[in-house]
Amino acid sequence: MLRALSTACVLLVGCKNAARPPPPPEPAPRTGSEEARLPPLRPVSDFSTIADPQARSIALFTEAGRVITHPRCTNCHPADGVPRQGLEQRRHLPAVSGGESGHGPPGLPCTACHQAVNLPVVGETLRGVPGNPKWALAPAEMAWVGRSLGSICAQLKDPARNGGKDLARLHHHMAEDVLVAWGWNPGPGLQAVPGTQRAFGELIQAWIDTGAHCPEP
C-alpha cells in the first residue's frame, strides 16, 4: 500500500524516484510544540461546584473547547475550502481544495493520498500521510479556523450549520464518530488533542444537560 501511495502521489508531494526509492533519510527533527503532551481534559465532576447552571454549562464547553479549537480539529474546518496543516495551520502543501463535497475536486480526491489509516512516508518534507475512512473537509458553514469558541458553539447548535443535527446527534458525533476520534491518533510525531474521546463526550453531554449555553462570541 505504501508503494502504491508513493506512486500515486509522486507529483503531489515531491517523492523522488518512486520506482527506486532512495535510502531512508535520518528522521526529521521533532519540534517541541508538536511533541509536547497536553494536560488531560478535566472531568465533569470538577465543575460540580459551579452553582449557576449557565455558568457551569459555559465552563464545561470551554473545557471541551480545548479539543474543538485544537488545530488537529480546526484544520479540517476552513472557510475557503483549503485544508490546513500543522499546529501553525499553514495552507495544505501541495495546493489542494476540498471541492464541493469536501472530498476533493474531480480528478484529485482526498483519497488519492489519504488512505483509511495513517501511513508513514519516507520523504524529505513530511513524516507521514494522515488517514481515516471518513477523511474529508467540513462544509463551509462549519468553518472554525479563526473563529472564537463562542462563535463555534453557536454553529454547533444551529441545525442549518451543523448538518441538520439536534443536540443528541451532535453528542453522538462528538463522542462516537471515527473521524473525530482521529484527533487522538494523528500519527507519530504529531500532537494529539487533549484527553480522550470518552472524556470529551462526557463534557459535551454535561454541557447539553446544563442547557448548552455558549461563551460570549
Side-chain angles (χ1 to χ4, degrees):
M1 182 179 292
L2 181 57
R3 179 173 295 178
L5 177 66
S6 299
T7 303
C9 299
V10 62
L11 297 179
L12 295 177
V13 297
C15 302
K16 296 181 179 180
N17 301 322
R20 298 179 61 188
E26 291 297 318
R30 296 179 174 181
T31 64
S33 59
E34 281 280 14
E35 287 300 298
R37 187 178 182 88
L38 297 175
L41 294 171
R42 294 172 62 191
V44 171
S45 59
D46 276 9
F47 302 88
S48 61
T49 57
I50 304 176
D52 179 65
Q54 180 172 340
R56 186 162 68 253
S57 186
I58 291 172
L60 287 160
F61 189 81
T62 300
E63 183 66 12
R66 294 177 54 210
V67 171
I68 294 168
T69 60
H70 191 285
R72 292 281 97 84
C73 294
T74 59
N75 282 348
C76 292
H77 286 258
D80 58 5
V82 178
R84 300 305 198 265
Q85 294 176 316
L87 297 186
E88 65 275 26
Q89 300 196 291
R90 63 187 180 276
R91 291 168 70 89
H92 193 286
L93 184 67
V96 296
S97 73
E100 293 185 5
S101 68
H103 292 84
L108 188 57
C110 299
T111 52
C113 288
H114 295 281
Q115 307 299 304
V117 296
N118 300 325
L119 290 177
V121 171
V122 175
E124 297 178 358
T125 60
L126 75 168
R127 298 175 184 144
V129 178
N132 186 273
K134 297 175 65 175
W135 196 265
L137 285 186
E141 59 266 24
M142 281 299 293
W144 293 357
V145 175
R147 301 283 177 88
S148 69
L149 183 60
S151 176
I152 293 172
C153 181
Q155 287 175 310
L156 286 171
K157 291 172 57 178
D158 183 357
R161 295 184 291 166
N162 72 8
K165 297 179 179 66
D166 60 15
L167 291 177
R169 290 180 61 200
L170 179 64
H171 172 262
H172 182 270
H173 174 73
M174 296 292 201
E176 304 290 340
D177 188 86
V178 296
L179 185 53
V180 174
W182 176 86
W184 287 274
N185 181 34
L190 297 181
Q191 186 183 86
V193 297
T196 64
Q197 190 172 23
R198 178 177 179 177
F200 178 58
E202 290 172 351
L203 287 167
I204 293 295
Q205 185 61 60
W207 167 68
I208 293 170
D209 293 343
T210 50
H213 294 284
C214 291
E216 289 293 325

